[in-house]
Amino acid sequence: MVRQAAIRYTAAFLKTQTLPAMKPDTSNAYGTVSRFFHWIMAAGFLLMLFTAVAWTLNEDYFSLIDLHKSVGFVLLVLLLLRLLWALGNLSRRPQGNLLVKLGHGALYVLMAAVPLTAMLRQHGSARGGLKVFGVEIMNGAPEKIEWMTRLGNEWHAPLAWALFVLAAGHILMAVVHQLKGEKILNRMLGRD
């Protein structure tokens, strides 16, 4: 009886609540889906930076490697979905000049290259497959493949640091343009 009353009360309450409307991309601002991809990926990359810095400063934090690998793979999947969404909405999105397009292009290339070089290293190392939150999604090679391991070892970290430097520049430029009155941050905050 109490359970049924709770269910009725909850249902009545939910009928009075409205979710914010999903906004599409426009020439002035990014829509709900674009903003979701941007901010969830920004949070994921912050976590990646935190884990890399943590184990660089203290090897005890290398225990975070499984989380780092899992989030890295999820970021790659989100990147692919984000690219598909962006391409499907290209004509409606805010447009930038050539430098803006080159900067965003470089960010996208690095966001793909960083996890791909790590996955190449993981496969070639013969240390087992890639597990994402405990689920193996990619087999490891049965024997070490030297060129894959070498390429991953030589490029993963430098590309990741380049990504973080470029992302910092991206943030800095957004703030500079906002301060100049161009309302760039408003585009990704959902304010027209």
Side-chain angles (χ1 to χ4, degrees), residues 1 15 32-33 67 69 110 118 135 152 166 179 185-186 191:
M1 188 163 168
K15 284 182 184 178
T32 307
V33 174
L67 176 64
K69 289 178 182 182
L110 288 170
V135 177
L166 194 59
L179 293 173
L185 290 176
N186 293 9
R191 299 179 191 147

Side-chain angles (χ1 to χ4, degrees), residues 23-187:
K23 293 181 180 181
D25 288 347
T26 68
S27 60
N28 295 324
Y30 293 99
T32 307
V33 174
S34 294
R35 289 192 326 269
F36 167 78
F37 281 130
H38 181 273
W39 293 113
I40 198 74
M41 291 180 71
F45 281 111
L46 275 175
L47 178 65
M48 301 302 279
L49 177 61
F50 167 77
T51 57
V53 168
W55 71 57
T56 299
L57 297 176
N58 184 340
E59 289 180 4
D60 291 342
Y61 289 110
F62 200 71
S63 60
L64 297 170
I65 191 68
D66 290 337
L67 176 64
H68 186 88
K69 289 178 182 182
S70 295
V71 172
F73 180 79
V74 169
L75 284 167
L76 181 61
V77 171
L78 287 171
L79 176 66
L80 294 174
L81 294 172
R82 184 178 182 177
L83 280 170
L84 290 173
W85 179 260
L87 290 172
N89 291 280
L90 199 57
S91 64
R92 293 189 292 270
R93 297 166 66 88
Q95 300 298 313
N97 63 33
L98 180 60
L99 284 176
V100 170
K101 290 176 182 175
L102 290 173
H104 284 117
L107 282 167
Y108 276 92
V109 166
L110 288 170
M111 286 189 288
V114 171
L116 289 173
T117 55
M119 291 173 69
L120 199 63
R121 176 177 58 194
Q122 179 73 33
H123 179 75
S125 69
R127 292 183 297 189
L130 174 61
K131 291 185 179 179
V132 175
F133 298 110
V135 177
E136 188 169 306
I137 55 104
M138 181 184 79
N139 294 329
E143 294 180 19
K144 188 172 184 177
I145 303 171
E146 191 60 42
W147 73 267
M148 287 183 170
T149 307
R150 186 174 49 254
L151 190 132
N153 285 338
E154 290 175 5
W155 287 101
H156 178 67
L159 290 173
W161 291 115
L163 173 59
F164 292 128
V165 167
L166 194 59
H170 172 72
I171 294 165
L172 177 65
M173 292 311 297
V175 170
V176 165
H177 285 283
Q178 187 75 16
L179 293 173
K180 289 171 61 177
E182 297 176 34
K183 307 283 189 216
I184 295 295
L185 290 176
N186 293 9
R187 292 179 178 182

